[in-house]
């Protein structure tokens, strides 16, 4: 996923183009594990001309090497107020999120805050079907201990059977690392160094490596990259 936000809209029946019934902000936030910083507020705003019903939940967030997420309920770790509500047209609702999990964390923990519109039927013009529109946002939430920092390490870089290269990046640090403006330097067995072009790093750019987890990326390099393996160094803007 290239951006820490997902928006899903499903339309049933005949309908013209629609805009989301509500918006959620911010789409990413970081909480402290204790003290005043363990509280954050989200804003749910109804930009439509209809009353909107919504619900908010929090899920854990684990990511495998290919970037696929696994989520589980995390209601026992947070207090949400209010978890549900209705918003009149043009109005907004503030939702308060409070961390109530362990105060002493070894490393940052990642979660998803999910804001969903509860199903509402809208009546269109005569002789047209009713539609049901569902809007779902997934914001990124991080709970971070004091002085947590990422530490990216390339733990694998080798040619595959399909003549591509598999780059394995491990975050040995205590905070997540977005891969903004990544740069990859390769050194062959003879000590010759080369920089990989930004185009070849497109599968890496914008990705995210959570604390204590690893990601793998398949890179297609120009034909003159022939070595079976390289020493690799990856950097990215924090």
């Amino acid at each position: 996923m290239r951006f820490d936000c997902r928006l899903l809209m499903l339309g049933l029946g005949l309908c013209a183009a629609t805009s989301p019934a509500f918006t959620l902000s911010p789409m990413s936030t970081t909480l402290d594990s204790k003290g005043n910083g363990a509280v954050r507020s989200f804003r749910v705003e109804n930009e439509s001309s209809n009353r909107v019903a919504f619900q908010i939940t929090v899920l854990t967030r684990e990511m495998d090497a290919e970037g696929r997420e696994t989520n589980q309920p995390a209601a026992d770790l947070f207090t949400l107020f209010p978890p549900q509500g209705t918003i009149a047209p043009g109005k907004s609702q503030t939702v308060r999120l409070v961390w109530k999990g362990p105060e002493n964390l070894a490393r940052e923990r990642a979660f998803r805050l999910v804001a969903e519109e509860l199903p509402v039927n809208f009546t269109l013009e005569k002789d047209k079907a009713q539609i049901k529109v569902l809007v779902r946002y997934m914001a990124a939430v991080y709970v971070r201990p004091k002085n947590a920092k990422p530490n990216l390490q390339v733990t694998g870089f080798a040619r595959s059977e399909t003549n591509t290269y598999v780059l394995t990046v491990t975050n040995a640090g205590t905070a997540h690392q977005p891969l903004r403006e990544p740069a990859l330097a390769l050194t062959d067995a003879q000590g010759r160094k080369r920089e990989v072009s930004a185009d070849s790093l497109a599968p890496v750019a914008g990705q995210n490596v959570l604390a204590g987890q690893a990601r793998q990326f398949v890179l297609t390099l120009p034909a003159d990259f022939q070595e079976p393996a390289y020493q690799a160094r990856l950097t990215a803007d924090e």
Side-chain angles (χ1 to χ4, degrees):
M1 116 192 71
R2 298 196 177 253
F3 186 59
D4 265 343
C5 155
R6 295 177 183 173
L7 173 60
L8 175 65
M9 299 187 66
L10 301 176
L12 300 178
L14 299 174
C15 61
T18 60
S19 59
F22 72 92
T23 59
L24 174 72
S25 61
M27 291 307 303
S28 180
T29 193
T30 300
L31 286 73
D32 296 335
S33 58
K34 56 184 175 182
N36 294 334
V39 181
R40 288 292 184 273
S41 293
F42 287 81
R43 181 184 178 92
V44 182
E45 187 168 2
N46 182 3
E47 297 182 342
S48 74
S49 58
N50 301 286
R51 179 171 289 274
V52 169
F54 71 92
Q55 67 178 9
I56 307 287
T57 55
V58 184
L59 305 174
T60 62
R61 182 184 178 193
E62 299 291 333
M63 191 179 296
D64 68 13
E66 284 70 43
R68 293 183 293 262
E69 284 192 21
T70 301
N71 308 108
Q72 299 293 336
D76 58 326
L77 296 173
F78 292 90
T79 297
L80 268 171
F81 184 79
Q84 295 180 332
T86 61
I87 310 174
K91 301 298 183 179
S92 64
Q93 171 72 57
T94 297
V95 177
R96 193 165 179 258
L97 178 69
V98 183
W99 171 252
K100 63 178 184 180
E103 292 187 351
N104 298 316
L105 298 176
R107 66 187 183 201
E108 176 187 83
R109 296 187 61 178
F111 300 89
R112 287 291 190 186
L113 183 135
V114 182
E116 297 174 293
E117 180 191 359
L118 300 178
V120 178
N121 288 326
F122 299 94
T123 303
L124 300 181
E125 299 176 7
K126 186 177 180 180
D127 299 328
K128 289 191 176 181
Q130 287 188 328
I131 62 171
K132 186 177 293 184
V133 176
L134 175 64
V135 180
R136 187 174 192 249
Y137 291 92
M138 295 185 74
V141 174
Y142 301 98
V143 180
R144 179 180 298 177
K146 187 178 180 180
N147 299 323
K149 293 182 179 180
N151 179 15
L152 289 185
Q153 299 177 3
V154 175
T155 51
F157 189 85
R159 197 174 182 88
S160 72
E161 294 179 355
T162 59
N163 294 326
T164 56
Y165 284 87
V166 178
L167 169 68
T168 303
V169 181
T170 299
N171 186 352
T174 53
H176 74 286
Q177 173 69 75
L179 300 178
R180 304 187 185 99
E181 302 294 331
L184 182 64
L186 303 179
T187 304
D188 64 18
Q190 289 74 42
R192 295 172 297 195
K193 295 183 179 180
R194 298 186 61 179
E195 298 286 335
V196 176
S197 70
D199 288 344
S200 295
L201 289 176
V204 179
Q207 297 294 320
N208 190 9
V209 188
L210 300 181
Q213 297 188 16
R215 295 287 308 275
Q216 285 190 336
F217 306 98
V218 178
L219 305 181
T220 302
L221 302 185
D224 56 342
F225 284 84
Q226 295 290 334
E227 298 289 325
Y230 290 89
Q231 290 184 345
R233 183 175 182 270
L234 180 72
T235 58
D237 291 343
E238 295 187 16

